[in-house]
Amino acid sequence: MMIDVRHVHHQDATRGFDTEALRRNYLVERLFEPGMVLLTYSHVERFVIGGATPVTVPLALESDKATIGSPNFLDRRELGVFNIGGAGKVSVDGVAHALGNRDAIYVPMGTKEVLFTSDSADVPARFYLLSTPAHARYETKVVRIAQAKKMLLGEAATANRRTIYQMIHPDVVTSCQLVMGMTQLDEGNVWNTMPCHVHDRRSEVYLYFDLMADARVIHLMGQPTQTRHIVVADGQAVISPPWSIHSGCGTRAYTFIWGMGGDNIDYTDMDMVAMDQLK
């Protein structure tokens, strides 16, 4: 297991970042490498963003003294796991839960052991992980893509026709502060979260996937009057602090997993940004 650490930067400092500084501080490039658990600890909401790609042997989610500071990773944390690869299993304290492609599982605070396995080494699972601090223990719950709260939004005329799947969400799963779901754009649609918004009460992480090797998403971030962009490839994530917009336009359709943590779990709590405010 490897863990990287990202610190918090004030929005005034971020204005002066060049391309490499933006990518170094806000883009998580390494998530899915065969046989490894790769984690990034962000001081924004104390998110832990990670990927586990088991091949022939199980992979364990282990604690880290310097960042997590407790004997077990989930002693004071909760965890959401989405499978974006081949079929696999997530074992929670010895109980194996099968996850197909696009299925998710919520793992509560107090869990001692989490193991990741793939059903086939030829088509390994790719488990995306997002964790936030927790204050209470709730129930482990698997959420199949078919069980998600589903919303159809957007239209072809604005190139943002999409399906939102709310999965680790108050209407589906009880959690402390972690809220997660998935947005899939229809073929020929490329925009997400435009018109855009901010929410100073929460921060967010976007994982982009379903992108071919030569496709990219131009992720927009920054204050509404001081926008910046990051070019994102398949299987990479962007950390979005509370003062930043989070929107994107792809070279073709794509899917992304959104995850939030902060003062509330209200998916609709957002401050919209008028188009004439953007610069």
Side-chain angles (χ1 to χ4, degrees):
M1 189 182 82
M2 296 177 60
I3 188 163
D4 186 26
V5 177
R6 306 288 178 90
H7 291 278
V8 176
H9 294 277
H10 193 275
Q11 56 261 48
D12 291 347
T14 302
R15 291 183 188 184
F17 284 179
D18 63 11
T19 298
E20 290 307 313
L22 285 171
R23 295 177 70 85
R24 185 169 61 251
N25 286 284
Y26 297 108
L27 179 67
V28 182
E29 294 188 79
R30 295 182 63 197
L31 280 170
F32 303 107
E33 296 186 10
M36 297 190 71
V37 176
L38 299 176
L39 303 177
T40 295
Y41 184 99
S42 172
H43 284 277
V44 174
E45 306 294 353
R46 298 193 179 274
F47 283 124
V48 176
I49 307 140
T53 312
V55 182
T56 57
V57 297
L59 299 177
L61 180 62
E62 299 174 345
S63 188
D64 175 75
K65 176 63 176 176
T67 52
I68 307 303
S70 59
N72 303 292
F73 186 92
L74 292 175
D75 284 346
R76 295 288 295 168
R77 288 184 158 270
E78 58 186 352
L79 172 70
V81 181
F82 280 62
N83 184 10
I84 63 169
K89 295 180 179 65
V90 178
S91 294
V92 179
D93 285 342
V95 179
H97 303 273
L99 293 188
N101 183 266
R102 287 170 163 73
D103 289 342
I105 185 171
Y106 170 78
V107 185
M109 183 187 84
T111 298
K112 303 301 183 186
E113 182 185 66
V114 181
L115 295 175
F116 305 100
T117 58
S118 292
D119 288 0
S120 169
D122 295 328
V123 188
R126 293 203 302 169
F127 295 110
Y128 172 62
L129 322 176
L130 188 64
S131 173
T132 51
H135 64 275
R137 178 178 174 84
Y138 296 108
E139 296 299 318
T140 301
K141 185 170 182 178
V142 173
V143 183
R144 309 292 177 199
I145 183 66
Q147 298 170 318
K149 183 179 178 181
K150 184 176 174 181
M151 297 190 298
L152 302 176
L153 296 176
E155 54 187 75
T158 48
N160 67 347
R161 182 70 176 169
R162 63 203 186 277
T163 304
I164 295 176
Y165 300 90
Q166 297 175 335
M167 299 179 76
I168 299 176
H169 178 276
D171 292 339
V172 183
V173 173
T174 302
S175 67
C176 293
Q177 64 164 314
L178 185 64
V179 179
M180 296 181 73
M182 183 168 54
T183 298
Q184 182 174 335
L185 276 72
D186 290 0
E187 191 65 33
N189 291 264
V190 294
W191 275 102
N192 82 72
T193 327
M194 184 60 70
C196 60
H197 63 263
V198 296
H199 30 64
D200 201 43
R201 282 76 62 192
R202 294 175 300 177
S203 302
E204 195 156 358
V205 179
Y206 274 20
L207 170 78
Y208 290 101
F209 67 105
D210 277 353
L211 285 161
M212 295 191 300
D214 62 349
R216 295 292 184 272
V217 173
I218 312 303
H219 180 88
L220 301 178
M221 66 161 295
Q223 295 169 280
T225 59
Q226 291 285 337
T227 59
R228 303 291 186 268
H229 74 270
I230 299 175
V231 179
V232 185
D234 182 74
Q236 296 180 345
V238 180
I239 300 165
S240 182
W243 46 262
S244 177
I245 66 169
H246 33 280
S247 179
C249 186
T251 57
R252 61 174 301 150
Y254 52 92
T255 306
F256 66 99
I257 294 170
W258 41 267
M260 295 179 279
D263 280 335
N264 64 46
I265 53 174
D266 181 1
Y267 178 82
T268 63
D269 178 25
M270 58 188 75
D271 302 319
M272 299 304 300
V273 177
M275 294 298 285
D276 61 6
Q277 290 182 265
L278 288 175
K279 295 182 180 179

